[in-house]
Amino acid sequence: MSNEELQDRIAASSGWIGAVKTEMGRVLVGQELLVDRLIVGILCNGHVLLEGVPGLAKTLAVKALSGSLAASFARFQFTPDLLPADLLGTMVYNPQEASFAPKLGPIFNNLILADEINRAPAKVQSALLEAMQERQVTLGDKTYKLPEPFLVLATQNPIDQEGTYQLPEAQLDRFLLKVSVGYPSKAEELTVLDRMANSEPVYQTQAAATPEQVAASRLLVNEIYIDPAVREYIVELIRATRQPAKVDGSLRHLIRAGASPRGTINLALTARAHAFINGRSFVTPQDVKDMAHDVLRHRILLSYEAEAEDTTTDQILDRILSKVPVP
């Protein structure tokens, strides 16, 4: 497929993105970055973790996205007493037939909203690992495939909030993106006040895209060209998180462990999706830089020295991005 043909197919196939953004904009004010990252997750078939203090429309954004796509949806409110069977299902004994039969849980849906995921204990977090990575669930001695597409869109409050649990590193690595949700601007907050400060605010969205449209777009995302120089730039960024002193001596003792090869793969994949959203058939270094924080902020383990100095992962990534030469 020539570059011109791919460009035309991208333009024809990406129309649903604008329709979904418009529909989400009916209930969501601002948060353009959040909406873009949710769509990147959909295009890459990857799970997304949203982190921010309560009241920043994290849950509303995910519900608005699910309403904009003609796909099945389930919402879990994670609590300390939640059990794995509440999500996955269980085996139920049938006395008439003297046998066990599976009762599949609500996780067998296309889009899963795991609300306040860090309020559930470790046993529940571990139960999600197989579903998130293998897209299957094992009940008894049988394995059941999850529907396609299957995405976990999770929200969490900062760890220092009361009643939260630290997510396991293995589970964090399963999330394609970790998006930090910030406060709205003054103008956006005034719009929120005008739109939502009444007894009947708008929370529902209408379907603006189908799973078939999303699947067709995913195939095109895989075709987007990455120049060898950009590929090398991606690898150099990842290697800089493992050997930070080679790019900046002041980072020598701030990183305990860098990103894994899964981070390399996901950075390239999300850069392709970012190019697709912007209507391009090729990846630029700016696509990589735009996605770097969301792909890598949960894949870098800070040292005790960094935590003592109140240095954040985003600050370290800023310094790495400023030091690694751009092709």
Side-chain angles (χ1 to χ4, degrees):
M1 186 187 305
S2 69
N3 183 62
E4 291 76 12
E5 291 175 332
L6 180 57
Q7 193 78 40
D8 292 340
R9 292 186 62 185
I10 289 173
S13 176
S14 60
W16 64 269
I17 295 177
V20 167
K21 286 185 177 181
T22 299
E23 189 62 28
M24 292 180 68
R26 293 178 55 245
V27 300
L28 197 66
V29 178
Q31 301 290 13
E32 288 87 359
L33 178 66
L34 170 59
V35 172
D36 275 349
R37 297 306 183 258
L38 288 175
I39 292 175
V40 166
I42 292 291
L43 286 171
C44 298
N45 200 24
H47 312 296
V48 180
L49 177 62
L50 311 178
E51 183 177 75
V53 298
L56 295 181
K58 301 184 298 297
T59 302
L60 179 61
V62 176
K63 291 178 69 175
L65 176 65
S66 68
S68 301
L69 301 173
S72 60
F73 170 72
R75 176 180 182 268
F76 298 123
Q77 182 63 52
F78 278 48
T79 57
D81 60 347
L82 196 68
L83 298 175
D86 296 331
L87 278 67
L88 310 182
T90 187
M91 301 298 291
V92 177
Y93 182 69
N94 186 338
Q96 295 176 336
E97 299 181 2
S99 62
F100 285 90
K103 182 180 179 182
L104 303 181
I107 200 170
F108 286 85
N109 283 279
N110 296 121
L111 295 180
I112 303 298
L113 170 56
D115 212 1
E116 295 189 288
I117 190 173
N118 59 334
R119 292 197 180 276
K123 186 177 292 187
V124 175
Q125 310 292 357
S126 298
L128 278 176
L129 283 178
E130 180 185 18
M132 292 176 66
Q133 182 63 27
E134 306 298 334
R135 287 175 164 77
Q136 65 184 27
V137 168
T138 301
L139 298 176
D141 59 353
K142 291 187 178 180
T143 299
Y144 301 88
K145 287 289 184 183
L146 290 165
E148 179 64 31
F150 172 75
L151 287 97
V152 174
L153 305 173
T155 70
Q156 74 170 13
N157 297 328
I159 293 300
D160 58 354
Q161 298 287 318
E162 175 118 10
T164 60
Y165 297 81
Q166 183 86 37
L167 291 180
E169 300 298 338
Q171 186 177 1
L172 275 176
D173 200 46
R174 263 58 175 195
F175 283 101
L176 174 75
L177 303 172
K178 180 182 179 182
V179 183
S180 181
V181 184
Y183 290 106
S185 66
K186 180 179 179 180
E188 290 171 345
E189 197 152 5
L190 284 170
T191 304
V192 171
L193 181 63
D194 293 338
R195 185 181 297 183
M196 297 296 186
N198 60 72
S199 60
E200 296 182 354
V202 178
Y203 289 129
Q204 299 298 322
T205 54
Q206 302 298 319
T210 65
E212 291 75 21
Q213 288 176 294
V214 175
S217 294
R218 285 177 180 165
L219 294 177
L220 289 179
V221 167
N222 295 333
E223 298 293 327
I224 289 179
Y225 177 70
I226 303 181
D227 188 84
V230 177
R231 292 170 60 202
E232 186 167 343
Y233 178 57
I234 292 172
V235 172
E236 288 298 327
L237 285 175
I238 299 298
R239 291 177 62 84
T241 67
R242 303 170 191 162
Q243 300 172 318
K246 290 189 175 181
V247 296
D248 187 342
S250 64
L251 298 176
R252 183 181 304 275
H253 301 296
L254 298 184
I255 297 179
R256 184 156 43 102
S260 69
R262 185 182 281 133
T264 311
I265 296 168
N266 289 342
L267 186 53
L269 180 58
T270 55
R272 278 179 160 148
H274 191 269
F276 179 87
I277 291 174
N278 288 278
R280 278 184 278 100
S281 60
F282 57 92
V283 172
T284 67
Q286 190 60 48
D287 290 321
V288 177
K289 296 179 76 171
D290 286 344
M291 297 306 307
H293 286 79
D294 298 309
V295 172
L296 299 178
R297 65 163 53 97
H298 57 300
R299 305 180 193 277
I300 296 175
L301 300 183
L302 299 182
S303 67
Y304 297 115
E305 289 88 343
E307 294 175 357
E309 296 174 8
D310 289 330
T311 301
T312 66
T313 308
D314 283 353
Q315 291 171 339
I316 289 177
L317 286 170
D318 285 338
R319 287 155 71 174
I320 289 175
L321 288 167
S322 67
K323 296 292 184 179
V324 176
V326 179

